Amino acid sequence: MDVSRQRPSVYSIAAHRGFADALVAGLIPRYREDRFGLARLTLLLPSRRTARTVTEAFVRASDGGLLLPRMAVVGDLDIDETLGPLLDPIGAGAGIPPACDPAFRLLRVAQFLKEEMGDEAPGESALLRQARSIVRSMDRLSVEDVPPSRLLDLDLGDLAEHWMDSLRTFARVQARWAIELDVRGEVDPPERRNRLLDHAAKAWREAPPPHPVVAAGVTSASPAVARLLRSIADLESGAVILPDLDLSMPDEVWDSLGNAGAPAGEGEPPFARGDAVTHPQYHLKLLLNRMGLARGEVQPWHRSGVSPARPERSRAISNLFLPPEASAVWAELSAEDRRLSGVRLMKCAHPEEEAQSIAILAREALVVPEKRVAVVTPDRNLAARVVALLSRWNIVADDSAGRPLPQTPAGRLLLHLSEVLAEHAAPVPLLALLGHPLVRADGRRAAWLDHVRQLDLALRGPRPGPGLAGVRDHLRGTGIARRFPQLAQWWDEPATALSPLFQRTDDVTLGEWLALLAEVAEDLCGEALWSRPDGRALAQFIEQWSLAAANARLAVRPAELPALLRDALDEVAVRPPWGGHPRLAIYGLLEARMSRADLVICGGMAEGVWPGVPSVDPLLAPAVLRALGIPGADFRIGLAAHDLAAALGAPEVVLSHAARDAEGPAIPSRFLLRIRAMLGDRASKAHEETRAVALAGAIDDAPQSAPYPQPMPMPSAEQRRVDIAVTALDRLRGDPYQFYAASILRLKTLDPLDSDPTPAWRGMAVHEILQLWHEAGTPPGELIPLAERKLAEMSTHPFMAALWRPRLVNALAWVEEHTDALLGQGRKPALWEQWGDIRVDGIKVFGRADRIDRLEDGSLAIVDYKTGMPPSARMVREGFSLQLGLIGLIAREGGFRDLSGDPVAFEYWSMARNKARGFGYVASPVKTANNRAELMPEDFVPITGEYLREAIARWILGEEPFTARLNPDLPGYTDYDQLMRLDEWQGRSRRNDGEEGASGDAA
């Protein structure tokens, strides 16, 4: 029986009316009957978010109790269950195979791809990225009803070779996957949806439902959706309601949009090169063409929502998005046809200012009773900033797009575990894991964190040995065990928890890795890991992927796990189970569709953000897509334009963008540039929103502080009386503030975690090796094996293995050779690595001698090992680099146990490059037969003593301030530059000194 009417029931709700509220305002009087009228209505919507939006609109429009219609989501794979009673009382969709699991499909396609690529296959993480591209292309073909066999019939002409290779690979993998689906009795999810929609369309054509069916807001132009919408439009009690279809656009402009799926003639492609795919009406024209309808058959929906904009807004929106040729009429438009009253344009300097301005606008609007605010942006970072800034006023706002699972505590924990495994318990991921807020989040948390902080200090510097055993051996080392005596014992607890990860490394499948990661995570965190929304999302992810991986059996190397899991977790969004402020919503572009608010703030309107950069299909060339009748990548720009057109229908709209982003200057969105061009310069200025930007700049503005002066701390006499190390006299005389920070404030710099071997670290390593060698009696030929063994124990850093270890070993070979030569001359080491001290004017002066040799005549030679270049004789002559002289002074005064004698030789044994033999040479700051130094050996110790007493008198016992950078041209340490705020005053002080000098000369 043919029940179709001569004119299909297709309507359009103009942008200014507000789709959801206008839809409900028309549905209630049309279908409401006594008691059950609306409940008999079936309402097809595009997404679950729009179902929620329409439900809220029904609540707002109800004047009491109201039975809601049955709502079904067109994109839902379980639509057969939702519409079951309408389609088949026994069960709709009978005979339609189930959809395959998406995770299993991805892993299986990755396996096929790996087999196809052979030895050229990349690592597992990159392999899954390529598999995702293949899966997306397969889905794209399914959505457009393009069978895989069409690929074999294409005449590709002179398509580039790399596109041909990609197409061949895609075709082979898709064919293997099709066989797999046949064996399993499943279909791809888009294919199942197509079959369900076709089943519904066929059933309603053959046996119209007894109750009304309305499809609202569905703009997907896929063939299956178009066929379903046409069948609904032809029903006696059916209707299709489209959002923002421009019925006032002139026919010639509508025709200029292009073919839009309807070839102009026989042999013409469905999508021509000149099609205006970026126009906001293009996808609606494509939908109407696939429904077999003309735009003239669409009727306007005359109901409005509770807060519509003025009708001329829709005319201005239509004119705004005219194609390039038609936009020439802007010059002749009347003020009425370009009026955008209520629309403001806001330009900010940077994203932080933009977020603050948006937060201020939202805060001010929420003061007005019942006023609703929506922030719409595709930039999730901007949305997160707005959420954070609104908390200043205790406004809780939830980003409806959710947070990616890797950005939640539970997701980060799983990634930290995978990184610990992949990097063999390297310090950075290890400490990030052990300090994670979910780890030991019980009564033991405080004690646990105390040990984690100690572990942080213990692991500073170059990386210890690999694995848990490497960390254990490092903690049991002499220096660490002395500083943190309980740390090695505590380490047994986290090491035991993490040990299952390191027991298997070869041929482990992804499913087995997930099981191990989940086991270790629960051991560290307990059941609290799974108790929050992100934990439940993580549990669902692990369950789904474990089952899929068990069937796919894809082996994954540990180094590939972090990137693989991050890519997979990024596809999972965690949304809060409850809402924030009832009148404030933060949407992405998809979530904003059909929503309505009194004030809509469109943020992030920069090119590449809104609209986003079109992503070219890496497998199917644009020419292939056109030949197959599939819209190209630019099609999404038209969807973004339609989203903006819908947002512009609100009573108040603010369009915001930042002049620059984190990477540099940003280009305003092409849509913003269109608005400014249509309005003209004068009108654009009238639409600018500057007040919120000014408030954003002023909200955290503080009075300008006075210029920071050059630090000159004046500690008390008691605080000044500190001991002086032989290595600290340079700091005291050259930069007293450095001495003040290190010796009086006792502030010590920390090496970075997992750092390169620093000169100081290399020096300590050399000292430890030489100390062991001397303690063993300097046996001939034993220094190099000892050095190789100790350096391997100290660090596995690649720089150490590849660069520093060969250099140090070469230099140590020179030390051994030179020591043997001196022994033959009667010069013997008297002490090494020994501490000594004396008192000078009541102040303790102490230091550690690297080595002191006894000469044949009983005098002493002071030796200082240097892994780099030794100080110059000029520095010593000017009263700096006096460490050798101070060690000589302590030795002369009997400050070293069991040592006496007069120092007569002072030598730096440098392990830097020597042009003559490779590495290693001797240099002296005093006059010798081999240098041109002016300072005589017998004068070195007395002069050093004079400099020492002068420094003690001025700063330790005197009242002179510890001035920062007292000698600014002296090369020195930079450990405390930030503490002294050097950059704030150094240049200014010199400028001021120059200005004062100039004015003095003028006077």
Side-chain angles (χ1 to χ4, degrees), residues 626-638:
R626 283 195 300 271
L628 293 173
I630 299 176
D634 287 346
F635 185 74
R636 294 191 175 276
I637 297 180

Side-chain angles (χ1 to χ4, degrees), residues 2-183:
D2 184 10
V3 297
S4 63
R5 296 160 296 182
Q6 288 198 337
R7 182 171 185 177
S9 294
V10 182
Y11 300 89
S12 172
I13 298 179
H16 73 276
R17 296 183 181 274
F19 188 88
D21 289 320
L23 171 70
V24 169
L27 291 179
I28 290 179
R30 177 174 297 196
Y31 296 106
R32 185 172 189 173
E33 302 172 2
D34 290 340
R35 303 176 63 184
F36 301 113
L38 274 177
R40 296 189 180 98
L41 170 65
T42 297
L43 192 57
L44 295 184
L45 298 168
S47 66
R48 296 182 184 275
R49 161 59 63 179
T50 55
R52 176 179 172 182
T53 301
V54 171
T55 300
E56 293 171 351
F58 272 113
V59 172
R60 286 193 295 270
S62 64
D63 54 358
L66 189 69
L67 290 176
L68 296 180
R70 179 192 294 113
M71 298 186 195
V73 176
V74 171
D76 199 331
L77 291 177
D78 298 323
I79 191 173
D80 53 330
E81 297 180 8
T82 309
L83 299 179
L86 287 178
L87 300 176
D88 185 352
I90 299 176
I96 298 178
C100 66
D101 179 68
F104 170 75
R105 176 174 63 160
L106 178 63
L107 295 175
R108 199 74 177 106
V109 167
Q111 281 185 311
F112 292 150
L113 183 60
K114 186 176 184 179
E115 294 167 6
E116 291 290 336
M117 300 180 72
D119 295 338
E120 297 181 357
E124 289 81 15
S125 59
L127 190 69
L128 257 69
R129 293 190 190 106
Q130 295 187 25
R132 279 188 180 87
S133 297
I134 291 179
V135 167
R136 281 195 292 266
S137 297
M138 290 164 52
D139 286 349
R140 197 171 185 181
L141 293 178
S142 295
V143 167
E144 294 293 330
D145 269 357
V146 176
S149 58
R150 285 277 306 279
L151 292 173
L152 305 176
D153 302 332
L154 294 177
D155 181 12
L156 300 178
D158 57 349
L159 194 65
E161 186 62 28
H162 71 279
W163 284 115
M164 294 294 295
D165 292 340
S166 297
L167 191 60
R168 293 188 194 101
T169 301
F170 174 74
R172 289 195 297 268
V173 171
Q174 189 182 45
R176 296 182 65 176
W177 173 242
I179 296 173
E180 177 90 8
L181 286 176
D182 289 341
V183 172

Side-chain angles (χ1 to χ4, degrees), residues 693-707:
V693 178
L695 288 175
I699 193 169
D700 293 319
D701 193 21
Q704 184 174 1
S705 60

